[in-house]
Amino acid sequence: DTAVSQTPKYLVTQMGNDKSIKCEQNLGHDTMYWYKQDSKKFLKIMFSYNNKELIINETVPNRFSPKSPDKAHLNLHINSLELGDSAVYFCASSPQLTGAGEKLFFGSGTQLSVL
Amino acid sequence: AQTVTQSQPEMSVQEAETVTLSCTYDTSESDYYLFWYKQPPSRQMILVIRQEAYKQQNATENRFSVNFQKAAKSFSLKISDSQLGDAAMYFCAYSSPNFGNEKLTFGTGTRLTIIP
């Protein structure tokens, strides 16, 4: 069983469209995250959710909105897609938010290409 | 703000040899955590090794070990007996107990190639 699974793995869409990426973790973790990896492989956190509460939003445009229906799921909705949104988006989870030394469990990423 | 620097965009090593990947960081905190994550071609990030700053002993995990120099703010990863499966991007990362995982800061990565 995959610990952190996200779908789809690849997403190709036109500029201006709205799309969603789904993420599910079966580890019973309290905290989930979305990271963005740009074309130069730089990873930066976008959001973290702890017990369904948004904890941080790192200068991310409000076209991006995380939605957490329950502790095991954190979906990412993107409105009005732009060319610059093309990247690989990673979902991750950890047991707690405040455990700074904890291991993050990552999904395998969603490669988003905006044409 | 904390920064993490990996000065080697690419490295290569002969199979069975040893390679060291460099990482430096900048922080004003005395307690923190450092990590090395591996991203193979499958894209999934996997934790390789973790070091707590208050521990002087260098962390080891099988063929992977670190050289943690707190005063120099250096955290290098040594891979011994390199194997083909070690080929990947390697990311150094920093997190602070003050902020937890939401402030996990990654370096820009080093692409490691294993030469058969």
Side-chain angles (χ1 to χ4, degrees):
Chain A
D1 285 343
T2 304
V4 180
S5 59
Q6 52 183 112
T7 55
K9 290 190 184 302
Y10 299 93
L11 184 54
V12 181
T13 188
Q14 298 287 331
M15 218 166 47
N17 284 350
D18 302 337
K19 290 292 179 185
S20 295
I21 306 172
K22 295 186 176 182
C23 179
E24 176 182 5
Q25 54 97 1
N26 62 7
L27 298 166
H29 288 169
D30 281 344
T31 308
M32 297 181 71
Y33 312 81
W34 278 105
Y35 279 83
K36 178 181 179 180
Q37 187 175 43
D38 63 22
S39 58
K40 295 184 178 179
K41 301 293 187 183
F42 185 63
L43 265 163
K44 189 168 183 183
I45 191 164
M46 299 176 71
F47 303 102
S48 65
Y49 250 76
N50 188 41
N51 284 329
K52 297 174 63 176
E53 179 186 357
L54 179 65
I55 302 301
I56 191 168
N57 179 342
E58 282 274 342
T59 63
V60 174
N62 57 15
R63 297 182 296 104
F64 291 80
S65 56
K67 295 283 193 301
S68 181
D70 55 57
K71 200 171 79 166
H73 296 84
L74 182 64
N75 304 323
L76 182 65
H77 299 272
I78 316 170
N79 296 324
S80 303
L81 277 155
E82 300 178 357
L83 293 176
D85 297 333
S86 295
V88 181
Y89 293 84
F90 286 94
C91 178
S93 72
S94 68
Q96 299 174 54
L97 180 65
T98 56
E102 288 176 346
K103 170 183 174 180
L104 260 62
F105 293 77
F106 284 84
S108 56
T110 295
Q111 184 166 338
L112 172 64
S113 300
V114 182
L115 307 177
Chain B
Q2 291 80 19
T3 57
V4 178
T5 302
Q6 294 178 249
S7 58
Q8 307 153 315
E10 295 184 356
M11 291 281 285
S12 60
V13 63
Q14 205 81 29
E15 193 176 2
E17 297 294 311
T18 295
V19 64
T20 298
L21 308 184
S22 301
C23 173
T24 58
Y25 56 94
D26 186 26
T27 184
S28 58
E29 297 173 319
S30 59
D31 191 20
Y32 47 86
Y33 297 85
L34 296 164
F35 308 81
W36 279 98
Y37 277 87
K38 169 185 177 181
Q39 186 178 38
S42 65
R43 281 200 318 232
Q44 189 169 23
M45 300 279 287
I46 303 164
L47 179 68
V48 175
I49 200 165
R50 169 176 49 198
Q51 175 80 41
E52 297 163 72
Y54 63 86
K55 288 188 176 179
Q56 292 188 336
Q57 188 173 6
N58 288 325
T60 62
E61 287 286 342
N62 301 314
R63 297 183 295 108
F64 298 87
S65 62
V66 300
N67 184 4
F68 174 49
Q69 302 288 328
K70 191 172 184 179
K73 297 180 182 175
S74 170
F75 182 62
S76 60
L77 174 69
K78 185 171 84 171
I79 306 174
S80 304
D81 185 26
S82 297
Q83 300 175 2
L84 294 178
D86 296 333
M89 285 287 292
Y90 286 82
F91 292 92
C92 180
Y94 171 105
S95 77
S96 163
N98 292 327
F99 298 102
N101 284 320
E102 78 271 22
K103 287 291 187 181
L104 188 63
T105 302
F106 285 90
T108 50
T110 297
R111 182 178 301 278
L112 178 65
T113 301
I114 310 297
I115 303 166

